[in-house]
Amino acid sequence: MHQMTRQLELPWEGPGEARGVPRSDEPPTAVRETGSSGTEQLLEAALTRSNLKAALKRVIGNRGSPGIDGMTVEELKPHLWEHWKEIRTSLLEGTFRPQPVRLKAIPKKTGGTRTLGIPTVLDRFIQQALAQVLQPLFEPGFSDFSYGYRPGRSQHDAVRQALEYVRAGRRIVVEVDLKDFFDRVNHDVLMGKLAARIEDRRVLRLIRRYLTSGMMADGVMTEREEGTPQGSPLSPLLANILLDEVDKELERSGQCFVRYADDMNVYVRSHKAGARAMARVRGLVQNLRLQVNESKSVVAPASRRSVLGYSFWYRSGEARLRVAPQSLERMKAKVRKLTGRSRGRSMRQVAEALNEYLPGWRQYYALAQTNGVFARLDAWIRRRLRTLQLKQWKRSSTTYRNLRAMGASPKLAWLVARNARRWWWNASKRVHHVFPTRYFDQLGIPKLAK
């Protein structure tokens, strides 16, 4: 019973100071203020009880795959119970060594793959604790036009800002793509920016070790001389710290821009102004030892490009938002997969899968002012489901019997059954009243059109 109770607590919630964790929930006074001074005890701030509890909750909530040691998030808390005292001591003494990240290739939305670096669960926990004390230190100085991975800011905020620029007449966009950004972050440049604000050398040394901890793929470990792994809790914040210099220079030159992580768009009034802005951004990026992907960076009318899955269209001369064509195609590909006619799933199982996917997709595209597009998508999804049901019946006799049971006339049931393998054709107007909209409502299929 005692062992069960202990597993439900956190290792720093026990009585007294036996495990070496400060009892105070507040960070030391010296690290409560931002600026280059007052950060000598930043590591102690990261290791306070309240900060560690928040970090553990975040890591467990985010789930994620194991790192190279195979430890799962469910195993993290028992591991901390057994080893937290020595882990904390090694952190404070500067002897802690992160493990290499596990490399995993994942598909990009736009095609191809990108490499995800997955730290161990323990390293994710420590990085999260560090990120939580570093974020308040740097956050107040970040640009108002940087939106990625920042508290109280979202992709919708970035899209709204872009719309405001276009409505103000800045209908040319300078779309800048940074080539393999997270894989090309220069460690020396980044550490220089961190050292300008952080006085705790232990924190700087620990971050440097995370940056150079190495990568493992197929049992082979390689050293990392540049880059910060995607999948690391620290990487988004480090990206914002590095690119803040670009933001500040664009602000000083009066440019209208939106940045979300490494996606950067500058909005101007002419192609000539766009060419100048592109040259300026290219120079700023090169100063950070990064590289612009020339094949994906363009100066073009904003209506021909997208911003975070949205694009622009005009009605009565006013710019409006719509789902970008590429985003629509990706959504339809996902629905085709979920409603595939050869997956052997029941209609109810397919409905459950759609109910998991569609509400989140619709919520993200809530800013789109194209209700007609959503209505057409609803009709297309229902037709795919009718097609799925007809195919699952397979035999003509089964199709006839089931249609009659659902209220179809003998003539209609016979016509559909006679052409039983023409599923898509039959799923059009022919069986529309047999599978009306309310039929799909009862299955819980969400509507996209409002």
Side-chain angles (χ1 to χ4, degrees), residues 141-400:
F142 286 153
S143 168
D144 288 339
F145 305 102
S146 165
Y147 296 91
Y149 310 116
R150 295 181 60 188
R153 290 167 172 262
S154 68
Q155 291 174 306
H156 279 184
D157 294 327
V159 172
R160 289 189 188 98
Q161 182 63 69
L163 179 62
E164 184 178 321
Y165 290 145
V166 176
R167 284 180 171 174
R170 298 179 177 274
R171 297 190 173 189
I172 303 296
V173 62
V174 181
E175 191 173 294
V176 181
D177 182 85
L178 300 182
K179 188 172 183 178
D180 301 326
F181 170 72
F182 283 96
D183 294 331
R184 291 176 177 265
V185 168
N186 184 278
H187 293 170
D188 292 333
V189 173
L190 174 59
M191 292 307 302
K193 294 185 178 300
L194 291 170
R197 298 291 302 277
I198 298 172
E199 293 180 328
D200 192 329
R201 313 309 294 181
R202 299 165 301 173
V203 170
L204 294 173
R205 184 166 54 245
L206 183 56
I207 292 175
R208 169 75 79 166
R209 285 177 179 170
Y210 273 120
L211 291 173
T212 59
S213 60
M215 305 167 290
M216 183 168 287
D218 300 323
V220 178
M221 204 279 282
T222 57
E223 294 184 357
R224 184 169 58 226
E225 297 180 354
E226 61 180 2
T228 176
Q230 296 188 62
S232 156
L234 268 175
S235 290
L237 175 60
L238 296 180
N240 280 333
I241 291 171
L242 182 63
L243 292 175
D244 186 58
E245 178 180 317
V246 178
D247 298 340
K248 293 302 194 314
E249 289 299 323
L250 290 176
E251 285 184 340
R252 276 192 281 271
S253 62
Q255 298 286 354
C256 295
F257 71 97
V258 167
R259 183 174 68 80
Y260 194 93
D262 57 327
D263 292 328
M264 187 181 309
N265 287 356
V266 183
Y267 293 87
V268 297
R269 298 182 185 275
S270 68
H271 282 273
K272 189 174 181 180
R276 291 195 299 268
M278 179 67 82
R280 183 171 188 81
V281 173
R282 187 181 290 110
L284 294 172
V285 167
Q286 289 172 350
N287 288 341
L288 298 175
R289 300 187 192 177
L290 297 170
Q291 187 176 348
V292 171
N293 189 336
E294 301 294 345
S295 64
K296 295 183 179 180
S297 300
V298 298
V299 178
S303 59
R304 297 182 185 175
R305 307 302 297 177
S306 63
V307 52
L308 297 173
Y310 284 86
S311 61
F312 304 102
W313 65 290
Y314 299 98
R315 183 173 182 177
S316 301
E318 182 182 55
R320 297 180 176 224
L321 291 171
R322 63 178 179 177
V323 183
Q326 311 95 299
S327 301
L328 272 180
E329 285 306 310
R330 286 195 293 270
M331 179 267 192
K332 294 179 80 170
K334 176 71 172 181
V335 171
R336 287 189 187 99
K337 182 177 180 180
L338 293 177
T339 59
R341 299 194 294 269
S342 59
R343 302 192 68 183
R345 296 190 299 173
S346 69
M347 181 68 80
R348 191 158 297 280
Q349 289 175 317
V350 172
E352 290 173 357
L354 288 172
N355 202 28
E356 289 179 4
Y357 172 66
L358 292 177
W361 186 88
R362 183 62 179 91
Q363 183 178 8
Y364 182 77
Y365 288 103
L367 301 181
Q369 298 165 289
T370 51
N371 206 47
V373 172
F374 294 129
R376 289 191 290 274
L377 283 173
D378 282 334
W380 175 75
I381 291 170
R382 289 193 293 268
R383 186 175 179 183
R384 285 198 62 83
L385 291 172
R386 294 186 191 105
T387 303
L388 174 63
Q389 183 63 86
L390 290 173
K391 182 174 182 182
Q392 287 181 342
W393 288 339
K394 296 181 180 179
R395 297 171 63 89
S396 298
S397 58
T398 305
T399 299
Y400 179 86

Side-chain angles (χ1 to χ4, degrees), residues 400-418:
Y400 179 86
R401 184 171 59 253
N402 287 335
L403 286 175
R404 289 287 291 128
M406 295 181 71
S409 67
K411 180 179 179 181
L412 175 61
W414 178 79
L415 285 172
V416 173
R418 188 182 65 173

Side-chain angles (χ1 to χ4, degrees), residues 9-14 19 21 56 77 80-82 84:
E9 297 173 341
L10 297 171
W12 39 84
E13 289 182 327
R19 294 187 178 269
V21 181
L56 183 61
K77 193 183 293 186
L80 292 174
W81 265 113
E82 298 300 323
W84 175 245

